[in-house]
Amino acid sequence: MPVISVPEEFNEEELYVDLQPLLGHSLFLKCEGFNFAGSVKLKAAVAMVEAAEAEGVLIPGSILVESSSGNLGVALSMLTASKGYQFVCVTDSRCNLSTRRLMEALGSEVHVITEPDADGDLLGARIEYVRALCASDSRYVWLNQYANSNNWKVHYHTTAPSIARQFPDLDVLFVGTGTTGTLMGCARYFRQWRPRVHTIAVDSVGSVIFGGLPGRRMIPGLGTSVRPPLLNESYVDDVTWVEEPDTIRMCHLLASRGFLFGGSTGTVVRGAVDWLTQHDAGGLTAVAIAPDLGERYLDTVYQTNWLRDIYGEDVLSAYAMADSARSG
């Protein structure tokens, strides 16, 4: 049996869900939410913090600061509590309330940015706030997940090889995009070691990562309003975009079968189904990466009033009709 002394020592790497009985497509979902941080971001948090320690940037008395829409903030809150650092998470009003409370429960300080920058961008305003904090006090250390190469290297060395071991005949891998750390690590690995594998990026409509038009995005996790410095599109074989109402419907479809996943996972699965349908991909071995679980989305994705206020009265009725037809 596993016995650990610090929370970051545990992470379930080998759990997959076979979604074919539910979706009608051969698709295996790699579940990255079974650790004490509850998401794939634990890997990036550990890698970036340990690198900063090894380089002498992060030392006793340092105050870690990072911009995060949620999952990395939770992972860093857990890790800094374990290691004895202070942590300040700079987020914005789209961050789920339960996520903010979780970070605070772990002893972190959460700053919520409510006003966009001069370009109307909340992410830009968050980063400006982080830079101002670092300029005000030398104790602040910013890992900068958007440009930190350890963000992708950890997935090159862990996530991608794990998938390759379990699926030696893998044809297609679907990865959600935010900072693009997971995407770049996996895409680089498969391009080098399994070049026949196609890596497909899944993005949210309204995100600018792959040159799309900026638009309203209410579900945190995937998509950004600023092109991530880590992104190298030459490693990406294709991109598929998902509308947020379709993310909602996929989350509820999965939940109706007992699988409570987060908004990021709903987006990735919806994007994978769309791509497989469009490419008539019967017979392909396909894997999608599920970044997180659904408990942190109970006040948003799984809250009827919030959904109706944001997406209209019919967002769930449309899901119900589609699910009923599928079940029938």
Side-chain angles (χ1 to χ4, degrees):
M1 65 177 178
V3 177
I4 65 174
S5 57
V6 291
E8 61 269 26
E9 289 181 343
F10 174 76
N11 184 48
E12 176 54 62
E13 186 75 79
E14 307 293 350
L15 179 62
Y16 293 80
V17 177
D18 180 359
L19 292 178
Q20 184 168 21
L22 174 60
L23 301 178
H25 289 281
S26 179
L27 181 65
F28 296 93
L29 189 62
K30 187 180 193 307
C31 301
E32 289 280 354
F34 290 95
N35 55 58
F36 283 94
S39 82
V40 69
K41 288 293 189 177
L42 174 62
K43 293 177 178 177
V46 171
M48 292 189 294
V49 166
E50 289 184 348
E53 290 176 326
E55 294 163 5
V57 175
L58 189 60
I59 60 176
S62 294
I63 305 172
L64 203 62
V65 60
E66 186 57 78
S67 162
S68 170
S69 61
N71 283 335
L72 182 68
V74 172
L76 287 173
S77 294
M78 184 206 79
L79 191 57
T80 52
S82 172
K83 288 177 170 286
Y85 297 111
Q86 296 181 63
F87 173 52
V88 177
C89 181
V90 181
T91 188
D92 60 54
S93 52
R94 292 171 297 188
C95 180
N96 298 322
L97 178 60
S98 59
T99 299
R100 301 203 301 265
R101 288 176 173 170
L102 179 53
M103 289 188 280
E104 290 169 345
L106 289 165
S108 299
E109 185 178 338
V110 181
H111 291 193
V112 181
I113 303 301
T114 58
E115 295 296 326
D117 65 8
D119 296 323
D121 181 25
L122 283 169
L123 176 57
R126 279 161 39 185
I127 292 174
E128 285 179 7
Y129 190 92
V130 170
R131 293 186 189 279
L133 280 180
C134 293
S136 71
D137 191 327
S138 61
R139 292 177 300 167
Y140 284 106
V141 174
W142 180 27
L143 298 174
N144 192 1
Q145 63 164 325
Y146 310 102
N148 192 319
S149 63
N150 295 292
N151 189 356
W152 69 261
K153 287 178 181 178
V154 68
H155 297 289
Y156 178 93
H157 291 296
T158 61
T159 309
S162 172
I163 295 170
R165 286 193 301 270
Q166 296 300 319
F167 296 91
D169 297 322
L170 181 67
D171 295 301
V172 186
L173 176 66
F174 297 94
V175 188
T177 55
T179 64
T180 69
T182 309
L183 174 67
M184 284 293 95
C186 291
R188 288 172 185 269
Y189 177 90
F190 283 107
R191 181 65 58 84
Q192 180 175 358
W193 300 107
R194 299 275 185 87
R196 66 180 293 273
V197 175
H198 282 67
T199 302
I200 313 299
V202 183
D203 200 5
S204 300
V205 171
S207 167
V208 305
I209 293 175
F210 294 97
L213 294 175
R216 184 187 73 164
R217 291 176 296 106
M218 299 303 296
I219 301 174
L222 296 189
T224 70
S225 54
V226 178
R227 181 182 170 89
L230 294 179
L231 177 63
N232 184 334
E233 289 189 57
S234 69
Y235 290 97
V236 180
D237 295 295
D238 203 355
V239 183
T240 184
W241 285 269
V242 178
E243 299 269 5
E244 285 194 338
D246 289 330
T247 291
I248 299 295
R249 291 163 192 147
M250 181 55 70
C251 286
H252 281 258
L253 179 60
L254 293 168
S256 74
R257 299 301 188 271
F259 293 110
L260 191 73
F261 285 107
S264 297
T265 298
T267 302
V268 173
V269 174
R270 180 73 261 173
V273 170
D274 290 346
W275 191 94
L276 292 169
T277 301
Q278 293 164 8
H279 291 79
D280 192 22
L284 292 183
T285 298
V287 169
I289 297 177
D292 57 4
L293 302 177
E295 290 90 341
R296 294 170 197 169
Y297 297 81
L298 295 178
D299 293 329
T300 54
V301 170
Y302 297 102
Q303 214 285 328
T304 303
N305 290 336
W306 186 86
L307 292 176
R308 288 174 175 165
D309 288 344
I310 301 297
Y311 303 104
E313 289 287 334
D314 63 345
V315 64
L316 286 184
S317 61
Y319 142 74
M321 290 171 60
D323 186 38
S324 176
R326 188 186 302 274
S327 300

